[in-house]
Amino acid sequence: MRFPTVSRCRQALFLSVLPAISLAQGLSFDPREATIASTHHALYTGLTTCREIVSSFLSRIEALNNHTNAIITLNPDALSIASHFDTLLASHNASTGRLFCIPVLLKDNYDTANMPTTGGNLDLADSRPSVDAPAVTALKDAGAIVLGKANLHELALEGLSVSSLGGQTINPYDSTRTPGGSSGGSGAAVAASFSVFSTGSDTVNSLRSPASANSLFSCRPTRGLISRAGIIPISYTQDVIGPIGRCVEDVATALTVMSSVGFDADDNATALAPAGIRGTDYYADLTGGSLQGMRFGLPGGFFNRTATNETTPVNSAMAAMVAKLRSAGATIVPINDTVYNATAISALYDTQRYEYRQEMDVYLQRPSLKGTHPTTLNQLYNSSKFLVIPSQYEYVTTSLISSTDNVTVGSHESYDAVQRGIANLTLALRETFVSKTLDALIYPEQKNLVVKIGSASQSGRNGILAAVTGSPVITVPAGFSAATDEAPIGVPIGMEILGLPYTEQKLLQTAWQIQELTKVRRTPVWARQVVHVKPYANGTVPVIRPDRGNISPNYPLGTL
Ligand SMILES: *[C@@H]1O[C@H](CO)[C@@H](O)[C@H](O)[C@H]1NC(C)=O
Ligand SMILES: *[C@@H]1O[C@H](CO)[C@@H](O)[C@H](O)[C@H]1NC(C)=O
Ligand SMILES: *[C@@H]1O[C@H](CO)[C@@H](O)[C@H](O)[C@H]1NC(C)=O
Ligand SMILES: *[C@@H]1O[C@H](CO)[C@@H](O)[C@H](O)[C@H]1NC(C)=O
Ligand SMILES: *[C@@H]1O[C@H](CO)[C@@H](O)[C@H](O)[C@H]1NC(C)=O
Ligand SMILES: *[C@@H]1O[C@H](CO)[C@@H](O)[C@H](O)[C@H]1NC(C)=O
Ligand SMILES: *[C@@H]1O[C@H](CO)[C@@H](O)[C@H](O)[C@H]1NC(C)=O
Ligand SMILES: *[C@@H]1O[C@H](CO)[C@@H](O)[C@H](O)[C@H]1NC(C)=O
Ligand SMILES: *[C@@H]1O[C@H](CO)[C@@H](O)[C@H](O)[C@H]1NC(C)=O
Ligand SMILES: *[C@@H]1O[C@H](CO)[C@@H](O)[C@H](O)[C@H]1NC(C)=O
Ligand SMILES: *[C@@H]1O[C@H](CO)[C@@H](O)[C@H](O)[C@H]1NC(C)=O
């Protein structure tokens, strides 16, 4: 009995191996490494029902969540929606959207009308939006079934994926390490096949670090491609939202659906998207690219060449990736410009401290936000119901103390200087692309392996360049460190592919070529097990209680 541990998004081969295993287990649908295509194949050929698909993922979460602590809440309506979909299918009257009966998990900073939206923060435990975020509506309209909400780094402010409400999420590949973040629950859950794909948000690294640390694919879209309305905010300049999946195909389909919201008056950045971009189907021509003749810039400043156990595996994985790209006919162009220095860009141009307080106050004061919740960020931090994280302390306190009025362009000289610097950096990036005729920049998401649980910060990440310039990035699995006792198949390592604004289609085509060339993704060892599907009675979606007993003493519940 052999379970193929390599993800195959075109599932023909995958399915040809699995049914024998599945039938032996009494299963007619195998959720492990399932994709949109394999799920639809099983459903539409009558091998399974929507109810069984949803039950199989719920059963995995119920049985295995204690390995990773990725889930905060399950959707009490998930089973009844699935039954309704089966009724539609039986009547041959289903207007099946492209995500029909696809189970998804949402980062718990996405507003949902039937579940609390907490940001992982105890003071928001009963904060209840009365309307779904537009991106959630789009997913549901396309037929997706929201299984529940995933843990995140508290309020999405760091990359350790520990929160006062959700506890510490554990990396599925190495139980001593964090799963990256801030969308760490979304990443760990997808790595463990708790859903077909998940969603995240990204203010500096947060869609890319969890993809990198969990051997997954993600898309950080261009600012303006997807409405950010109804997402717990941090920064108008830097926030974006997007999907995380086990293969490029699923990320492309999810991006197509999430971006179908188009212009949204509640997020005026959506007015920036060029008319020709609206309605793009990112799946349709996914296989239409070629690595032959492509030119990838490789910024040397995004590597740490000091050899240690934490950095050498990253450098080796990138060297192997570069060799494969070259052998496929691509050209690698070294970029030595000192402007590509993530530490310097963060120090000079990160806008969070200026924009956070006012963005959050607007979110907390919306009339549609029900339930018990603070109405200002100051109140939230005066509750002492939050974890003190050393690395975020400075900018959170700055944003609270300095921002008694709104920071807008023209109101604060230091903010204006930051925005001018970002404009300058954006121009420098474009200049690099043009002068070196580049198709994309490639670099490791993180200069070192994802950090251990209890660390002061998720150090060494390179996400800030895309964050401040609003550039799109597809993250792809690049390799693994060597196996150890703690990491039986090694720790995943991810690569960013960064392009100019609104080049998602080309970046996804490139990522698809790299997926086919390298086939890096592996399933975490404990997640390979088959879980017996529970015959849940109607209305009995299990209740998941996050483990808060596992929070490191390094992150006390705090006062500012
Ligand atoms: C998870 O729970 C199961 C059943 O209670 C137990 O057998 C297993 O050891 C637990 N695993 C972890 C990692 O806590
Ligand atoms: C088909 O579905 C539509 C919309 O869900 C409904 O209005 C209609 O009555 C259904 N027709 C049949 C034959 O079930
Ligand atoms: C867009 O919205 C932001 C934040 O809500 C606001 O500061 C800005 O003035 C708006 N821009 C335009 C052009 O309306
Ligand atoms: C580095 O890895 C080697 C081989 O696994 C191990 O013997 C050594 O103790 C590690 N060094 C550190 C500082 O962890
Ligand atoms: C950039 O750095 C690489 C080595 O890191 C070196 O081989 C190359 O000559 C440098 N290019 C320029 C233009 O300085
Ligand atoms: C990157 O910037 C930091 C902070 O400005 C500086 O200390 C460091 O020396 C720079 N690194 C390189 C390689 O120039
Ligand atoms: C914080 O709470 C205390 C009482 O608990 C109150 O006196 C104080 O005004 C509050 N501060 C802010 C900034 O809300
Ligand atoms: C800040 O802006 C928000 C809306 O953008 C507004 O509701 C609020 O009154 C403003 N606050 C101040 C102090 O100007
Ligand atoms: C603009 O960018 C260039 C590098 O491209 C840098 O040398 C210069 O200092 C920057 N100027 C400002 C005002 O940030
Ligand atoms: C590079 O790695 C070394 C060793 O892990 C570390 O001390 C140093 O801070 C890292 N430098 C950067 C720029 O990340
Ligand atoms: C659940 O309810 C649906 C109707 O909503 C029904 O068709 C189905 O048989 C019920 N399933 C169970 C297990 O009770």
Side-chain angles (χ1 to χ4, degrees), residues 65-71 151 166-170 545-547 550:
N65 189 51
N66 66 342
H67 287 263
T68 181
N69 198 39
I71 306 299
N151 196 26
Q168 175 71 58
T169 296
I170 298 159
R545 304 217 178 279
D547 179 5
N550 69 1

Side-chain angles (χ1 to χ4, degrees), residues 265-286:
D266 290 334
D267 176 5
N268 62 15
T270 55
L272 295 168
I277 290 297
R278 293 196 200 297
T280 300
D281 182 340
Y282 295 98
Y283 179 82
D285 193 25
L286 195 57

Side-chain angles (χ1 to χ4, degrees), residues 304-306 308 310-311 343 447-448 460:
N304 185 341
R305 298 296 185 187
T306 308
T308 66
E310 299 299 306
T311 53
T343 311
K447 300 179 186 80
N448 39 271

Side-chain angles (χ1 to χ4, degrees), residues 320-354:
M321 175 65 81
V322 161
K324 282 185 187 156
L325 292 174
R326 282 201 176 111
S327 70
T331 300
I332 309 297
V333 183
I335 308 290
N336 301 350
D337 191 331
T338 54
V339 80
Y340 300 110
N341 175 332
T343 311
I345 295 171
S346 292
L348 292 170
Y349 305 139
D350 193 323
T351 60
Q352 295 178 88
R353 75 193 67 231
Y354 296 100

Side-chain angles (χ1 to χ4, degrees), residues 231-253:
I231 312 297
I232 299 178
I234 299 174
S235 157
Y236 179 84
T237 302
Q238 292 169 220
D239 290 350
V240 296
I241 65 170
I244 303 177
R246 289 186 287 269
C247 64
V248 180
E249 286 87 339
D250 290 357
V251 167
T253 301

Side-chain angles (χ1 to χ4, degrees), residues 260-522:
S260 70
V261 174
F263 174 72
D264 179 3
D266 290 334
D267 176 5
N268 62 15
T270 55
L272 295 168
I277 290 297
R278 293 196 200 297
T280 300
D281 182 340
Y282 295 98
Y283 179 82
D285 193 25
L286 195 57
T287 61
S290 167
L291 294 171
Q292 181 69 47
M294 283 194 85
R295 291 172 59 81
F296 295 108
L298 188 76
F302 286 177
F303 290 77
N304 185 341
R305 298 296 185 187
T306 308
T308 66
N309 285 356
E310 299 299 306
T311 53
T312 302
V314 175
N315 294 331
S316 303
M318 284 301 299
M321 175 65 81
V322 161
K324 282 185 187 156
L325 292 174
R326 282 201 176 111
S327 70
T331 300
I332 309 297
V333 183
I335 308 290
N336 301 350
D337 191 331
T338 54
V339 80
Y340 300 110
N341 175 332
T343 311
I345 295 171
S346 292
L348 292 170
Y349 305 139
D350 193 323
T351 60
Q352 295 178 88
R353 75 193 67 231
Y354 296 100
E355 298 176 344
Y356 184 37
R357 201 268 310 147
Q358 66 207 49
E359 287 278 315
M360 196 61 171
D361 286 355
V362 169
Y363 175 89
L364 292 170
Q365 285 163 28
R366 290 167 312 150
S368 65
L369 191 63
K370 310 294 185 194
T372 310
H373 60 84
T375 55
T376 66
L377 186 63
N378 276 339
Q379 268 179 24
L380 189 159
Y381 277 100
N382 204 17
S383 70
S384 296
K385 294 181 186 168
F386 65 94
L387 300 180
V388 176
I389 306 295
S391 49
Q392 84 187 43
Y393 187 86
E394 188 268 335
Y395 75 76
V396 170
T397 50
T398 312
S399 82
L400 291 175
I401 293 159
S402 71
S403 312
T404 49
D405 55 351
N406 287 341
V407 179
T408 55
V409 171
S411 71
H412 287 67
E413 175 45 35
S414 56
Y415 181 65
D416 288 0
V418 165
Q419 288 293 354
R420 282 198 304 272
I422 289 175
N424 185 23
L425 178 65
T426 307
L427 203 58
L429 178 61
R430 190 172 281 276
E431 207 269 330
T432 298
F433 268 75
V434 172
S435 66
K436 306 250 190 322
T437 43
L438 300 180
D439 293 294
L441 291 183
I442 55 171
Y443 49 88
E445 204 291 319
Q446 192 162 11
K447 300 179 186 80
N448 39 271
L449 298 178
V450 70
V451 303
K452 296 270 186 179
I453 286 170
S455 298
S457 71
Q458 191 61 261
S459 57
R461 295 183 297 171
N462 291 319
I464 189 73
L465 174 64
V468 295
T469 59
S471 310
V473 174
I474 310 300
T475 302
V476 299
F480 284 84
S481 64
T484 62
D485 288 349
E486 285 151 353
I489 58 169
V491 179
I493 294 159
M495 179 176 84
E496 296 198 26
I497 310 170
L498 180 150
L500 292 175
Y502 301 108
T503 58
E504 279 83 356
Q505 183 162 35
K506 178 177 174 180
L507 293 175
L508 285 161
Q509 288 173 338
T510 306
W512 187 84
Q513 295 290 336
I514 294 175
Q515 168 182 276
E516 296 304 297
L517 178 69
T518 58
K519 294 189 162 52
V520 172
R521 175 168 168 73
R522 295 287 183 279

Side-chain angles (χ1 to χ4, degrees), residues 99-160:
L99 295 178
F100 186 74
C101 191
I102 297 300
V104 307
L105 287 158
L106 306 174
K107 185 177 185 178
D108 200 14
N109 61 356
Y110 278 59
D111 278 1
T112 46
N114 72 334
M115 284 174 274
T117 297
T118 71
N121 176 247
L122 278 174
D123 208 29
L124 294 177
D126 192 37
S127 191
R128 291 185 164 270
S130 56
V131 290
D132 289 333
V136 175
T137 303
L139 289 166
K140 287 162 74 171
D141 285 351
I145 298 184
V146 175
L147 284 187
K149 313 287 283 289
N151 196 26
L152 62 158
H153 190 95
E154 187 160 27
L155 297 167
L157 290 170
E158 233 293 345
L160 301 163

